[in-house]
Amino acid sequence: MGKYLLSQANVNQWLSMLLARYEVFVPVERESQVHWHRLASPDIEANTLSITPAQKRIRPSEPVKSFMFQPRQRVGGMPQPAEPGEPVPRVLLGIKNCDLVSLKVHDKVLTEGGFNDPFYAAQRKSTMLVVADCPSPEQSCFCNLLGLTPYAQEGADAVLSLVNGDWLFETERRGQELTGMAPGLFAGLAEYAMEITVRGEQRKAAAAALSVINPRPWNPDLPGAIGARLNDAAFWNRHADSCVECFGCLMGCPTCYCFLLYDQAKDGGLERTRVWDACYEAAYARVGGGANPRAEFVRRFANRFDCKWNQFKRDYGMYACSGCGRCFKACMGRIDIRKVLGEL
């Protein structure tokens, strides 16, 4: 592990060197929102100012899982099988801790235990994750309610903090590649360096802001509380009342991992495709013969909470939620899951 400072004046040169080895994706601001953008040389030659401000904002609108667990992907075929191939090395430069945690959820489902998804695993292995501090949480953020922080403490290849316009990197073993390719551009930092102190103050301020946004902690036995209310239709109906079933909360959720497989005839054979699925779909739980244990929407609504904050915690030791707030920002019915869980 090492700490390095890249001065603002050297950022463009380093990004150009990065592009020579990797596909690079960065968050940029467009129409006041943050979105992922594939970096190209003309972007660097023209202006990098749109990159730096976006690193200070909250996570991009698009969940980072899209890079590893694509919304639609061919995963099998006959007689020609589908293979993951050799992905191009790439860098996601500026994901937030809430999205890093969401990848842990996918890691557990898709690469650990009895099943290993070769398509997800290949993309995960080829992707370098640089996690940027989140210095300015917004009203929709609630990672603190899940015991998380607005900066990465583990799991990143490198951690990026913006300090007085310069880029401060803290690298793990694999992340050393990023700074090592341009040793003349990076200055090593000692633990007592002024920049480290400033970073610590910025992180404390971000955590304090989250405490103001979300001052009341959830029930420490949230799984038990959900289990006890699972059949309380009046409770779930009251919170689901304004839902218009657009499924925006599920499609934008960085931790949702459900998928559907379907086969199509093609060129005299078959092609198997995987697409994202959504547990709010009426047919999601339907089984052979037409029986459906969650035919009523209120049961599907309650099941989402049971899945993320009860079953996943029981099975994997963590919540399938990272507090990114995309569900609330996407919701046409303005359903705030913090309010639902806060009443349990």
Side-chain angles (χ1 to χ4, degrees), residues 41-276:
S41 295
D43 299 321
I44 300 173
E45 294 161 4
N47 180 16
T48 59
L49 290 179
S50 63
I51 300 172
T52 299
Q55 299 285 9
K56 300 177 184 176
R57 298 280 305 276
I58 64 170
R59 77 293 174 288
S61 299
E62 303 83 9
V64 76
K65 71 178 182 182
S66 308
F67 289 98
M68 329 283 178
F69 180 67
Q70 297 169 5
R72 179 182 299 275
Q73 184 168 25
R74 179 173 179 259
V75 294
M78 187 181 70
Q80 187 63 38
E83 303 289 346
E86 190 65 34
V88 176
R90 63 186 175 187
V91 176
L92 301 186
L93 178 57
I95 78 169
K96 300 300 181 182
N97 193 41
C98 52
D99 273 342
L100 180 66
V101 170
S102 75
L103 289 179
K104 292 181 182 177
V105 171
H106 285 77
D107 288 349
K108 288 188 176 297
V109 175
L110 299 174
T111 66
E112 298 177 10
F115 174 70
N116 183 61
D117 185 319
F119 299 92
Y120 174 84
Q123 295 292 341
R124 189 78 164 86
K125 184 179 179 182
S126 69
T127 304
M128 197 87 79
L129 300 175
V130 180
V131 184
D133 287 0
C134 192
S136 304
E138 297 183 2
Q139 290 298 316
S140 57
C141 300
F142 58 94
C143 65
N144 64 315
L145 293 177
L146 294 146
L148 303 174
T149 56
Y151 51 88
Q153 300 189 73
E154 61 176 1
D157 295 307
V159 176
L160 167 64
S161 310
L162 267 61
V163 177
N164 299 326
D166 297 328
W167 291 25
L168 192 165
F169 287 87
E170 186 165 354
T171 58
E172 296 294 336
R173 183 180 57 81
R174 196 163 82 138
Q176 294 278 356
E177 288 179 30
L178 304 177
T179 54
M181 71 169 62
L185 300 181
F186 290 85
L189 285 179
E191 281 295 334
Y192 50 80
M194 177 273 291
E195 290 82 1
I196 303 294
T197 303
V198 173
R199 183 185 70 170
E201 292 169 350
Q202 291 177 169
R203 288 178 169 181
K204 285 181 182 177
L210 279 165
S211 297
V212 173
I213 295 170
N214 308 296
R216 182 170 171 267
W218 287 336
N219 186 332
D221 182 21
L222 200 54
I226 290 176
R229 298 293 287 270
L230 199 56
N231 293 315
D232 185 347
F235 174 80
W236 299 109
N237 267 319
R238 178 161 55 83
H239 288 290
D241 186 57
S242 62
C243 179
V244 298
E245 299 185 49
C246 69
F247 309 158
C249 55
L250 302 180
M251 293 296 109
C253 177
T255 65
C256 281
Y257 53 83
C258 289
F259 60 85
L260 174 71
L261 295 172
Y262 68 88
D263 297 335
Q264 286 180 304
K266 186 174 183 181
D267 300 331
L270 288 175
E271 184 175 274
R272 173 161 292 180
T273 302
R274 180 180 65 193
V275 295
W276 289 358

Side-chain angles (χ1 to χ4, degrees), residues 105 146 253 255-257 307-309 312-313 318-322:
V105 171
L146 294 146
C253 177
T255 65
C256 281
Y257 53 83
C307 173
K308 288 180 173 294
W309 291 280
F312 204 88
K313 178 74 170 176
M318 65 181 292
Y319 294 121
C321 175
S322 61

